[in-house]
């Protein structure tokens, strides 16, 4: 199975044979697209045009203006890191504030700092209420009988052994992780730390498996919801708070709406509990890179398998964010996901096509000479991929590194390399037409992502991923999936390019 695609409007990627969408798939696609579309705000600011020198110790806020950088927010500032090369970083962004700059918000506020008004009971209650409402919705939407739970079904599930279920791919691999991200968001937006959020997410998934469904508890759902959900949920929690931290002007209703669309639990707790949970999680001013792409892809070659006919042309929307890039003086990696990468894409051919996130759980920064800065350690990743040619989802821990290397005064290279073992679900050309025809197994996997930045005009991204899903679910053999993506970008004007 192979395919190549012609580049169009910022994107070149492989697309291929048939897809399947159950009615549940459309529901989850709409829900998660609410996350993707507001992300356009992360890349929509006009690039500023000429540098303004700020004298050290000067009073008042002064904007740094540099056409060599794309700025995410109106108060974005240029960093002092040697790796953010002078007029050479096309898309690298920073949130530094010049010395002596005025704060973005008034120091006189009744809102307590994030984490000082934490609650352990509120997120537990929210998870129970959320699961109850979800169960009632599923009863009405799916009908008899998987969600007709009662005390008898709960008792049976407590005594039953756990299994690997064969629900639709979209439900298990997109719906369940998003459900877990809600649990994680309830805990984090109540002031709890990442590891406490993970515990609430894992417990919330257990509660659903025992009390939310009449079927036997599912091992694969517990992994995708209880662990994959926390990797996804932390990225959404961080992005929502980053939005609130940086965007302080404009209609308050709109700002709250966008923040809630990115992470609904953050929006819910800000609305329901007022000042208690309106403290913003401190980002510590990370370096970041963001890209929003709109375009059209066309399949130019494919090998016919037994999946249904593909759509050869499709419109695409794709958002990517790298948060906490290494090299900024003073920025530390003491908290999980102080570095993370998030990507999501949708197409007219298949709906919601992909979402992935990987973040540093434990690690440290390091230097190699004067031109290389990096971080390394244990990463946690969640990936969902469902283009027309195959389906794959994975939750995995990995060892790896992320770094930036200044090659010259006008050229920089950024990259990530990961090697890990996780739990994955895969369906290739013979099963893609049937959402229940999937293989589950332990999956050794690797990722290599590189970005070359040339001056203030061009960048080139290449990503390669490989998964080998072994047989642990009773079927014979295994699946080996290799995917590569390439995306050249040429800047035309301000923050616009092809």
């Amino acid at each position: 199975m192979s395919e190549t695609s012609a580049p169009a409007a910022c994107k070149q990627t492989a697309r291929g044979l048939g897809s399947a969408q159950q009615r549940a798939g459309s529901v989850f696609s709409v829900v998660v697209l609410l996350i993707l579309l507001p992300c356009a705000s992360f890349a929509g600011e006009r690039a500023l045009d000429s540098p303004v020198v700020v004298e050290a110790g000067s009073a008042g806020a002064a904007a740094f203006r540099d056409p060599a950088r794309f700025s995410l927010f109106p108060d974005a500032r240029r960093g002092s890191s040697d790796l953010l090369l002078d007029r050479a970083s096309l898309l690298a962004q920073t949130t530094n504030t010049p010395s002596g700059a005025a704060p973005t918000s008034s120091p006189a506020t009744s809102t307590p700092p994030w984490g000082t008004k934490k609650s352990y009971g509120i997120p537990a209650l929210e998870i129970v209420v959320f699961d109850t409402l979800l169960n009632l919705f599923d009863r009405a939407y799916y009908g008899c009988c998987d969600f007709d739970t009662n005390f008898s079904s709960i008792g049976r599930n407590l005594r039953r052994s756990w299994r690997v279920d064969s629900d639709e791919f979209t439900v298990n691999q997109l719906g369940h992780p998003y459900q877990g991200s809600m649990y994680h968001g309830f805990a984090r937006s109540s002031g709890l730390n990442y590891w406490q959020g993970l515990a609430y997410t894992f417990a919330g998934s257990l509660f659903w498996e025992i009390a939310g469904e009449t079927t036997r508890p599912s091992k694969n759902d517990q992994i995708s919801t209880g662990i994959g959900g926390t990797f996804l949920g932390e990225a959404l929690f961080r992005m929502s708070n980053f939005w609130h931290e940086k965007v302080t002007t404009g209609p308050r209703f709109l700002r709250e709406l966008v923040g809630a669309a990115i992470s609904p639990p953050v929006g819910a707790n800000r609305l329901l509990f007022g000042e208690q949970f309106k403290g913003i999680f401190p980002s510590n001013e990370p370096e970041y890179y963001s890209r929003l792409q709109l375009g059209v892809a066309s399949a130019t070659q494919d090998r016919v398998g037994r999946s249904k006919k593909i759509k050869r042309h499709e419109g695409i929307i794709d958002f990517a964010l790298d948060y906490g890039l290494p090299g900024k003086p003073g920025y530390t990696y003491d908290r999980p996901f102080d570095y993370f990468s998030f990507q999501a894409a949708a197409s007219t051919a298949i709906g919601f096509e992909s979402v992935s996130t990987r973040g540093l759980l434990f690690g440290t920064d390091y230097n190699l000479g004067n031109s290389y800065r990096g971080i390394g350690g244990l990463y946690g990743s969640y990936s969902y991929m469902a283009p027309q040619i195959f389906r794959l989802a994975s939750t995995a821990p990995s060892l790896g590194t992320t770094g930036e290397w200044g090659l010259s005064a006008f050229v920089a290279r950024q990259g990530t390399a990961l090697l890990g073992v996780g739990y994955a679900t895969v369906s290739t050309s013979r099963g893609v037409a049937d959402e229940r025809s999937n293989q589950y197994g332990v999956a050794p996997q690797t990722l290599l992502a590189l970005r070359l930045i040339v001056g203030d005009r061009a960048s080139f991204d290449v990503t390669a991923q490989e998964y080998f899903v072994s047989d642990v679910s009773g079927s014979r053999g295994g699946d080996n999936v290799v995917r590569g993506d390439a995306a050249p970008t040429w800047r035309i004007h301000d923050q616009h390019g092809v």
Side-chain angles (χ1 to χ4, degrees):
M1 124 187 101
S2 65
E3 181 188 63
T4 60
S5 289
C10 297
K11 182 156 184 172
Q12 177 180 8
T13 186
R15 316 260 169 204
L17 295 173
S19 66
Q21 294 188 46
Q22 301 293 336
R23 56 181 182 173
S26 61
V27 174
F28 288 114
S29 296
V30 170
V31 171
V32 188
L33 277 172
L34 291 176
I35 303 168
L36 178 64
L37 296 179
C39 290
S41 305
F42 283 95
E45 291 298 327
R46 178 178 60 87
L48 301 174
D49 34 33
S50 60
V52 175
V53 177
V54 181
E55 296 291 341
S58 62
F64 184 90
R65 307 175 65 183
D66 187 346
R69 302 174 192 284
F70 288 170
S71 134
L72 210 57
F73 300 105
D75 63 341
R77 302 291 186 264
R78 175 176 168 176
S80 58
S81 167
D82 291 338
L83 293 178
L84 290 177
L85 305 175
D86 185 25
R87 312 187 68 78
S89 181
L90 173 65
L91 295 175
Q93 299 154 337
T94 178
T95 57
N96 272 356
T97 302
S99 175
T104 57
S105 59
S106 171
T109 176
S110 59
T111 302
W114 183 91
T116 58
K117 293 289 186 179
K118 65 179 63 177
S119 171
Y120 296 95
I122 287 175
L125 179 61
E126 288 176 325
I127 289 172
V128 172
V129 171
F130 175 81
D131 276 354
T132 300
L133 294 175
L134 181 61
N135 174 271
L136 294 175
F137 171 82
D138 287 342
R139 290 190 194 200
Y141 188 80
Y142 291 100
C144 183
C145 300
D146 287 352
F147 302 99
D148 294 338
T149 55
N150 52 41
F151 288 112
S152 296
S153 68
I154 294 173
R156 286 195 303 272
N157 280 344
L158 287 171
R159 298 187 297 269
R160 283 171 161 176
S161 60
W162 288 60
R163 60 161 186 162
V164 174
D165 77 19
S166 58
D167 287 344
E168 290 87 350
F169 181 85
T170 307
V171 171
N172 274 358
Q173 309 310 323
L174 182 59
H176 276 289
Y178 189 72
Q179 182 177 344
S181 77
M182 296 289 289
Y183 302 152
H184 189 83
F186 287 136
R188 293 290 272 139
S189 60
S190 298
L192 305 187
N193 66 32
Y194 173 83
W195 300 110
Q196 292 167 330
L198 187 151
Y200 274 77
T201 305
F202 201 82
S205 180
L206 282 173
F207 179 73
W208 175 260
E209 292 299 316
I210 299 298
E213 299 174 318
T214 60
T215 55
R216 286 168 54 192
S218 167
K219 301 174 186 177
N220 47 310
D221 288 351
Q222 183 63 27
I223 294 172
S224 63
T225 309
I227 301 176
T230 200
F231 297 155
L232 176 60
E234 183 66 13
L236 299 180
F237 169 78
R238 293 268 189 148
M239 288 191 291
S240 181
N241 277 271
F242 200 44
W243 166 264
H244 285 297
E245 182 180 64
K246 292 296 141 191
V247 181
T248 58
T249 59
R252 179 178 175 182
F253 172 78
L254 181 59
R255 287 185 278 126
E256 294 291 337
L257 183 64
V258 172
I262 298 171
S263 178
V266 171
N269 279 355
R270 289 172 64 89
L271 176 65
L272 294 175
F273 300 100
E275 299 301 325
Q276 180 178 358
F277 294 145
K278 279 194 176 179
I280 296 172
F281 181 80
S283 70
N284 294 340
E285 305 292 342
E287 304 289 352
Y288 56 90
Y289 162 96
S290 68
R291 181 185 67 220
L292 177 68
Q293 297 181 128
L294 301 171
V296 178
S298 299
T300 59
Q301 180 181 350
D302 65 77
R303 269 180 217 165
V304 179
R306 284 188 275 173
S307 55
K308 64 183 184 181
K309 186 176 180 181
I310 70 167
K311 296 180 180 178
R312 301 191 66 88
H313 308 288
E314 54 184 327
I316 299 164
I317 180 171
D318 187 308
F319 173 77
L321 173 69
D322 287 339
Y323 173 109
L325 289 166
K328 179 176 179 179
Y331 187 79
T332 61
Y333 298 90
D334 301 326
R335 307 170 299 182
F337 276 67
D338 274 337
Y339 166 80
F340 72 87
S341 177
F342 175 86
Q343 181 272 336
S347 76
T348 56
I350 197 156
F352 201 79
E353 180 180 294
S354 68
V355 60
S356 65
T357 182
R358 58 182 184 270
L360 184 67
L361 298 174
F362 299 103
T364 187
D365 54 347
Y366 62 92
N367 304 332
L368 295 176
N370 296 323
S371 60
Y372 184 91
R373 303 291 184 272
I375 55 175
L378 179 67
Y379 291 69
S381 65
Y382 159 72
S383 299
Y384 169 90
M385 293 179 279
Q388 297 184 73
I389 194 170
F390 70 95
R391 294 189 299 261
L392 186 142
S394 172
T395 298
S398 300
L399 293 175
T401 184
T402 299
E404 180 169 300
W405 183 15
L407 300 177
S408 72
F410 295 96
V411 180
R413 183 163 60 192
Q414 300 170 342
T416 295
L418 300 178
L419 180 64
V421 178
Y423 191 79
T425 307
V426 65
S427 179
T428 50
S429 58
R430 288 185 290 180
V432 74
D434 180 4
E435 280 238 355
R436 292 178 180 268
S437 179
N438 305 299
Q439 174 157 314
Y440 297 85
V442 174
Q445 53 198 263
T446 184
L447 175 143
L448 181 64
L450 297 174
R451 176 181 301 125
L452 183 68
I453 299 173
V454 182
D456 62 355
R457 283 294 173 185
S459 70
F460 186 68
D461 290 78
V462 178
T463 303
Q465 299 166 271
E466 182 172 11
Y467 303 81
F468 179 78
V469 183
S470 60
D471 172 25
V472 297
S473 58
S475 59
R476 296 182 178 180
D479 284 291
N480 189 44
V481 177
V482 179
R483 175 170 181 166
D485 293 277
T489 303
W490 182 263
R491 183 182 191 175
I492 296 176
H493 177 67
D494 286 347
Q495 289 181 291
H496 308 291
V498 295

